[in-house]
């Protein structure tokens, strides 16, 4: 009796397997328009926004509205796609999770950080290129990376940012202090625990203006490419290609560079320290 | 050295942040107490399956840091279960459940350390478990537990500062925001500390008065 | 106190084959006991004899292992040895039967968060769902009866032990129970307060209340009880009219118990003057 029950069970199992096999379709190549279509159908381009990132992201203190050159680019892209920009407030640290959780569609100004690149895709063309600089306490006179790479030097960097990667790569012998955000980095310098803070040049100028520190562009000048990030998901090839085209056009027409110059001027940022050959 | 004018100039932002902090404190304390009571009663249930669920709830939420719960609520639900959740709902959920675990233990202790003669008297009159809980046990347990409940609520208010990691505009978020364009974190964070003192010291005093009155 | 005729009626409380163990310790061994309407039965014995456990089984504050307990002919507990299901007696039935049995505790157990009047009204208000008007009127009558009417709005913690116990008697009476259980009602009282409580209990007894009293007050047992049940180590060693059991004990355990408490009887005489 037991034996025939097992037989029945076995044949039932086999039948189910056959039925399932016939229903499973062979893997088809995914439609490269999937993501583009999804964004256009949704009517929204969800863009991450953050405080403490002026002039890239500027939040109007009273109205709470978001602006800045990252938003200008976002609006441009959204306009062409025929959708609205929806700002999604977040932090640099949460960006990868935002992509994974499908809360955002695009992110601007990302350094192609390989660790983040394990979960996020980057465009291979940079949207703009800035340079790495330091804001130093008055009287600080080390002007190149080699001099900075010394145990007597204390450099402060923002946690999780590419500046931390740069410092660890170029100045491993220096004492590298990692802080949560930019104002805390300034505090480290004011408290005398750091000699200088590593920042992208336009951030450095901003900080120097507020705190009266000195801006130094360490030699040799180290370029910092900033590109666009987007979610790694099936069907995003069309999206990637389209964004790449847009970036190329922006750069070819000098639109990207022009926008940056205008933004910095409007914000009172004096970039005369940059050598004349330099261009975003 | 210190420039306090940035505080007066941005007092409106600080007040906005305070409003948000108080809102989340009140809502998550109320929800935490309600859920905590259910969990406490569950642990005291006679059906072991129910008491196990109560115990697991407490162990889960007490032993994982709140920051992790906040990020989990906001990101894990969409990533693993495809459920999109707003940051406000994520914040309320994480804070309420976290607080509930602590409130549950306080209430459970309050109920269990009550004189068993009270339950005897209630049962002897013919009261059902629900009636004796509602009329005799819980009113006394709550009164006895006012000091630890008040203490936990103060901790709950301080816990709300973690909401800033989800960019919910509470006091700590506003502090970061103001610091980001004034570059004066010392003044800003000092001001926030003072705001907490102004709110919590009188609250503590009220709690003590409440405890004295209930004796 | 009752007259001989009423002793022939069907018992108000009927206990058969009641057994209970706490782990290896047998606290009650196959006890049979009846209480008839209007009877005052005193349960005596040394500590650990099982008398309090027996009393608390009557309204199921303790759960026996097996046996049968009936109140006014209705079973509140019925389980055979090797016990399976409690013969389908639902909690609701138990609660209803409990509401017909009043209990007074050694440590009073008043509800500290309610006034004296609130305590007395609580049972009928919540369990019997009575309206407040008639409830309050009757509650005040019972408080009057125990001599605590002036304290109606006081909080329990302001009362002396004797006052608290009298309130707790009023609280039990306000449920208009068929039988009153007393668990060492004066053991926690200072000696000078014992009299006021015993006096209240004597009034009740004279009015014909059926009472089952666990007590150390031998004088009360002698002068007020109709019957004495003497327990030792879980069994009934002696049972009968108090004078027989206590003054002419045939059992040596009873004898040695009584010897220790001889003096108390003398104290009782004055209270019994009508």
């Amino acid at each position: 009796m037991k034996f025939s029950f097992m037989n029945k069970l076995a044949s039932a199992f086999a039948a189910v397997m056959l039925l399932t096999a016939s229903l499973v379709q062979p893997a088809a190549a995914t439609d490269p328009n999937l993501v583009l279509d999804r964004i256009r159908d949704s009517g929204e381009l969800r863009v991450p926004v953050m405080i403490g990132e002026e002039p890239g992201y500027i939040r109007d203190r009273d109205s709470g509205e978001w602006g800045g050159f990252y938003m200008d680019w976002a609006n441009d892209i959204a306009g062409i796609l025929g959708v609205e920009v929806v700002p999604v407030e977040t932090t640099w640290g949460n960006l990868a999770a935002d992509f994974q959780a499908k809360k955002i569609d695009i992110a601007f100004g990302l350094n192609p950080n390989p660790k983040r690149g394990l979960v996020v895709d980057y465009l291979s063309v940079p949207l703009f290129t800035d340079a790495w600089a330091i804001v130093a306490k008055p009287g600080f006179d080390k002007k190149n990376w080699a001099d900075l790479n010394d145990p007597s030097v204390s450099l402060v960097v923002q946690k999780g940012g590419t500046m931390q990667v740069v410092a660890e790569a170029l100045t491993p012998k220096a004492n590298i202090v990692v802080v949560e955000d930019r104002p805390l980095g300034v505090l480290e310098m004011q408290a005398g625990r750091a000699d200088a803070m590593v920042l992208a040049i336009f951030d450095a100028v901003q900080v120097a203006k507020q705190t009266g520190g000195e801006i130094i562009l360490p030699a040799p000048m180290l370029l910092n490419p900033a590109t666009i990030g987007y979610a790694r998901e099936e069907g995003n090839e069309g999206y990637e290609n389209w964004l790449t085209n847009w970036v190329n056009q922006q750069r070819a027409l000098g639109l990207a560079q022009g926008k940056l110059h205008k933004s910095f001027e409007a914000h009172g940022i004096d970039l005369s320290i940059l050598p004349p050959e330099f261009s975003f | 050295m210190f420039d306090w004018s940035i505080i007066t100039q941005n007092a409106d932002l600080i007040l906005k942040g305070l409003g948000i902090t108080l809102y989340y404190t009140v809502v998550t304390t109320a929800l935490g107490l309600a859920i905590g009571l259910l969990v406490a009663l569950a642990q005291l249930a006679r059906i072991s399956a129910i008491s196990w669920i109560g115990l697991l709830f407490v162990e889960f939420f007490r032993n994982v840091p709140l920051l992790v719960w906040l990020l989990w609520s906001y990101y894990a639900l969409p990533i693993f279960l495809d459920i999109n959740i707003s940051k406000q709902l994520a914040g309320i959920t994480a804070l309420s459940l976290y607080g509930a675990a602590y409130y549950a233990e306080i209430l459970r202790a309050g109920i269990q350390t009550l004189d068993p003669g009270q339950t005897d008297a209630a049962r002897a009159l013919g009261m059902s478990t629900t009636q004796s809980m509602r009329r005799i046990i819980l009113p006394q347990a709550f009164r006895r537990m006012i000091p630890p409940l008040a203490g936990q609520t103060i901790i709950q208010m301080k816990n709300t500062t973690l909401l800033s990691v989800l960019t919910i505009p509470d006091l700590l978020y506003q502090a970061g925001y103001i610091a980001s364009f004034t570059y004066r974190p010392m003044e800003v964070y000092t001001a926030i500390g003072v705001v907490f003192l102004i709110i919590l010291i009188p609250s503590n005093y009220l709690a003590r008065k409440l405890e004295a009155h209930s004796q | 106190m009752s007259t001989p005729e009423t002793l022939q009626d069907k018992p108000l409380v009927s206990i058969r084959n009641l057994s209970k163990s706490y782990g290896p310790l047998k606290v009650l061994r196959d006890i049979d006991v009846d209480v008839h309407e209007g009877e005052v039965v005193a349960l005596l014995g040394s500590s650990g004899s099982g008398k309090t456990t027996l009393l608390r089984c009557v309204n199921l504050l303790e759960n026996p292992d097996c046996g049968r307990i009936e109140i006014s002919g209705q079973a509140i507990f019925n389980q055979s040895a090797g016990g399976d299901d409690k013969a389908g007696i639902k909690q609701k039935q138990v609660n209803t039967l409990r509401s017909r049995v009043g209990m007074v505790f050694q440590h009073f157990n008043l509800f500290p968060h309610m006034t004296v009047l609130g305590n007395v009204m609580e049972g009928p208000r919540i369990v019997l769902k009575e309206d407040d008007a008639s409830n309050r009127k009757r509650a005040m009558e019972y408080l009057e009866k125990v001599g605590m009417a002036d304290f109606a709005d006081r909080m329990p913690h302001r009362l002396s032990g004797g006052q608290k116990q009298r309130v707790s008697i009023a609280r039990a009476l306000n449920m208009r129970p068929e039988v009153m259980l007393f668990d060492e009602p004066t053991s926690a009282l200072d000696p000078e307060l014992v009299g006021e409580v015993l006096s209240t209990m004597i009034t009740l007894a004279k009015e014909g209340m059926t009472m089952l009293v666990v007590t150390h007050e031998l004088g009360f047992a002698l002068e007020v009880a109709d019957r004495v049940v003497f327990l030792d180590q879980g069994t009934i060693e002696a049972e009968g009219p108090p004078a027989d059991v206590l003054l002419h004990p045939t059992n040596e355990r009873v004898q040695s118990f009584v010897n220790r408490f001889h003096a108390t009887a003398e104290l009782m005489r004055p209270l019994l003057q009508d």
Side-chain angles (χ1 to χ4, degrees):
Chain A
M1 198 159 77
K2 226 173 162 190
F3 187 65
S4 86
F5 173 72
M6 287 306 290
N7 263 354
K8 285 206 184 104
L9 195 61
S11 36
F13 188 68
V16 170
M17 288 303 290
L18 279 171
L19 189 64
T20 325
S22 68
L23 289 171
V24 168
Q25 270 146 19
T30 23
D31 177 8
N33 280 325
L34 260 180
V35 173
L36 262 180
D37 288 342
R38 178 180 56 84
I39 294 176
R40 294 169 76 178
D41 289 340
S42 74
E44 298 180 338
L45 183 73
R46 294 162 308 157
V47 176
V49 291
M50 336 179 175
I51 55 173
E53 290 297 321
E54 300 185 357
Y57 291 115
I58 303 175
R59 198 179 94 177
D60 186 287
R61 189 198 175 291
D62 300 310
S63 72
E65 302 254 312
W66 291 92
F69 55 79
Y70 290 140
M71 282 305 279
D72 291 340
W73 282 325
N75 281 313
D76 198 38
I77 290 173
I80 304 174
L81 290 175
V83 299
E84 291 270 311
V85 166
V86 171
V88 176
E89 191 168 358
T90 184
T91 64
W92 277 116
N94 292 344
L95 262 187
D98 287 315
F99 273 120
Q100 276 188 296
K102 301 198 193 350
K103 290 191 191 280
I104 54 179
D105 297 310
I106 192 171
F108 293 93
L110 302 184
N111 299 117
N113 179 335
K115 285 218 193 95
R116 196 197 289 135
L118 287 172
V119 293
V120 170
D121 281 340
Y122 300 107
L123 290 185
S124 49
V125 294
L127 181 51
F128 62 90
T129 306
D130 62 66
W132 287 112
I134 58 173
V135 177
K137 61 187 183 193
F140 192 70
D141 62 355
K142 299 198 182 347
K143 299 220 184 297
N144 47 47
W145 293 109
D147 289 340
L148 290 170
N149 185 22
D150 186 274
S152 68
V153 175
S154 250
L155 292 174
V156 60
V157 295
Q158 219 167 309
K159 186 166 87 168
T162 312
M163 58 202 80
Q164 186 177 2
V165 176
V166 165
E168 284 166 3
L170 291 184
T171 58
K173 289 199 219 149
N175 178 26
I176 301 173
V177 178
V178 181
V179 292
E180 195 62 42
D181 59 31
R182 212 184 287 171
L184 287 175
V186 169
L187 206 52
E188 287 290 314
M189 293 212 298
Q190 288 174 338
R193 278 199 293 265
D195 298 312
M197 185 149 105
V198 179
L199 288 164
I201 181 65
F202 54 78
D203 292 329
V205 175
Q206 179 106 337
V207 170
K209 193 169 81 152
Q210 285 274 13
T211 62
E214 262 183 44
I215 311 173
I216 299 172
L217 205 63
M221 185 165 73
L222 187 64
L223 293 179
N224 177 22
T227 183
I228 289 178
Y230 51 99
R232 172 164 306 150
E233 51 183 329
E234 292 215 336
N236 69 0
E237 298 87 351
Y239 188 44
E240 174 186 356
N241 282 336
W242 183 82
L243 282 172
T244 307
N245 285 341
W246 178 84
V247 168
N248 285 332
Q249 188 191 51
Q250 291 280 311
R251 294 197 61 80
L253 296 173
L255 291 174
Q257 303 88 314
K259 180 174 293 302
L260 282 174
H261 275 293
K262 265 175 63 181
S263 266
F264 293 146
E265 253 176 57
H267 226 70
I269 296 178
D270 171 20
L271 289 169
S272 53
I273 189 174
L274 286 169
E277 327 80 78
F278 178 82
S279 161
F280 291 112
Chain B
M1 217 248 296
F2 279 123
D3 177 13
W4 296 108
S5 68
I6 60 140
I7 301 298
T8 44
Q9 282 160 20
N10 294 297
D12 59 325
L13 288 175
I14 294 177
L15 278 174
K16 272 200 214 160
L18 178 60
I20 298 287
T21 293
L22 288 176
Y23 169 77
Y24 277 88
T25 302
V26 168
V27 170
T28 62
T29 298
L31 280 174
L33 273 171
I35 298 172
L37 179 60
L38 287 175
V39 173
L41 292 175
Q43 286 192 79
L44 297 171
R46 266 172 298 184
I47 305 173
S48 58
I50 298 183
S51 63
W52 266 102
I53 292 175
L55 181 66
L56 282 175
F57 179 97
V58 170
E59 290 304 307
F60 239 58
F61 284 97
R62 270 206 314 188
N63 295 319
V64 175
L66 177 56
L67 184 59
V68 174
W69 280 120
L70 278 166
L71 291 169
W72 254 78
S73 307
Y74 187 49
Y75 288 113
L77 285 181
I79 293 177
F80 295 117
L81 296 176
D82 226 7
I83 303 172
N84 205 1
I85 180 171
S86 71
K87 58 190 182 187
Q88 291 82 358
L89 192 55
I92 290 179
T93 305
L95 272 170
S96 299
L97 292 175
Y98 186 76
Y102 288 88
Y103 287 128
E105 286 301 275
I106 294 171
L107 290 172
R108 183 173 68 87
I111 294 170
Q112 281 181 317
T113 57
L114 206 58
D115 174 12
Q118 291 294 301
T119 318
D120 277 349
R123 289 164 80 200
L125 285 173
M127 284 195 197
S128 67
T129 313
T130 315
Q131 288 168 333
S132 73
M133 269 288 160
R134 194 169 48 88
R135 299 287 303 181
I136 309 300
I137 310 294
L138 289 179
Q140 292 185 61
F142 264 97
R143 266 168 243 236
R144 282 154 54 88
M145 290 291 119
I146 286 176
L149 286 175
Q152 188 58 40
T153 304
I154 288 166
I155 294 175
Q156 192 79 350
M157 178 168 172
K158 290 189 283 179
N159 282 346
T160 63
T161 57
L162 287 173
L163 289 169
S164 50
V165 80
L166 295 183
T167 68
I168 292 177
D170 75 321
L171 270 171
L172 258 294
Y173 171 93
Q174 297 293 6
Y177 180 44
I178 298 171
S180 75
F181 58 80
T182 61
Y183 288 93
R184 298 208 154 257
M186 272 314 297
E187 290 87 326
V188 175
Y189 288 109
T190 305
I192 301 304
V194 168
V195 171
F196 268 88
L197 282 172
I198 292 175
I199 300 288
L200 289 179
I201 291 181
S203 303
N204 237 333
Y205 173 73
L206 275 174
R208 272 184 237 253
K209 279 240 109 120
L210 190 61
E211 177 197 352
H213 175 74
S214 70
Q215 300 297 22
Chain C
M1 275 84 101
S2 58
T3 60
E5 289 80 68
T6 50
L7 285 171
Q8 306 306 319
D9 298 343
K10 186 169 161 50
L12 196 51
V13 178
S14 163
I15 295 171
R16 291 283 175 275
N17 304 113
L18 202 70
S19 294
K20 179 161 179 76
S21 302
Y22 284 115
L25 183 66
K26 279 199 169 54
V27 176
L28 294 174
R29 300 167 197 259
D30 206 36
I31 303 266
D32 288 348
V33 131
D34 283 339
V35 182
H36 295 87
E37 187 175 345
E39 254 200 313
V40 176
V41 175
L43 269 182
L44 302 175
S46 0
S47 312
S49 57
K51 58 191 195 302
T52 294
T53 309
L54 176 59
L55 189 78
R56 287 169 63 91
C57 282
V58 174
N59 64 353
L60 272 196
L61 286 192
E62 299 287 341
N63 264 312
D65 295 333
C66 61
R68 185 181 171 82
I69 305 174
E70 279 181 16
I71 298 173
S72 299
Q74 279 180 278
I76 190 176
F77 182 79
N78 187 8
Q79 191 161 311
S80 49
D84 52 344
D85 172 59
K86 289 184 191 77
I89 299 175
K90 297 213 191 318
Q91 187 60 39
K92 232 175 152 203
Q93 288 168 264
V94 170
N95 292 343
T96 308
L97 284 170
R98 278 186 182 150
S99 67
R100 289 153 61 182
V101 176
M103 189 158 194
V104 174
F105 299 88
Q106 181 176 355
H107 296 286
F108 335 122
N109 292 340
L110 288 183
F111 304 134
H113 57 300
M114 300 178 191
T115 59
V116 161
L117 182 60
N119 263 272
V120 178
M121 286 176 67
E122 184 69 1
R125 171 187 275 159
I126 299 301
V127 179
L128 303 178
K129 314 245 199 283
E130 257 193 57
D131 70 284
D132 274 2
S134 49
N135 187 1
R136 178 174 293 121
K137 188 160 167 296
R138 204 181 55 240
M140 286 305 293
E141 282 168 14
Y142 281 120
L143 278 174
E144 189 75 52
K145 186 192 195 66
V146 302
M148 292 295 294
D150 290 340
F151 293 78
D153 293 321
R154 289 277 177 95
M155 296 302 282
H157 70 267
R158 304 260 300 274
L159 305 177
S160 74
Q163 291 170 327
K164 284 186 201 167
Q165 195 62 298
R166 284 187 279 147
V167 171
S168 87
I169 292 174
R171 177 175 68 175
L173 287 176
N174 197 24
M175 292 290 283
R176 289 180 290 181
E178 293 164 19
V179 54
M180 288 278 281
L181 307 176
F182 291 82
D183 184 4
E184 298 198 39
T186 57
S187 297
L189 296 176
D190 292 335
E192 62 268 21
L193 302 174
V194 169
E196 64 195 64
V197 175
L198 286 184
S199 163
T200 309
M201 289 167 71
I202 290 167
T203 309
L204 279 180
K206 283 195 187 149
E207 288 171 354
M209 173 61 79
T210 313
M211 295 161 67
L212 182 54
V213 184
V214 170
T215 186
H216 288 301
E217 298 289 338
L218 286 205
F220 177 86
L222 261 176
E223 303 295 332
V224 185
D226 298 303
R227 186 154 52 101
V228 158
V229 173
F230 186 91
L231 274 159
D232 189 78
Q233 290 183 14
T235 43
I236 298 178
E237 291 290 335
E239 191 179 345
D244 291 351
V245 173
L246 294 173
L247 299 181
H248 312 291
T250 50
N251 185 306
E252 65 162 280
R253 277 196 248 260
V254 184
Q255 178 72 68
S256 60
F257 178 80
V258 170
N259 288 344
R260 291 198 293 266
F261 290 91
H262 236 312
T264 329
E266 297 303 311
L267 283 171
M268 285 305 305
R269 305 266 153 183
L271 288 169
L272 297 167
Q273 309 303 334
D274 272 354

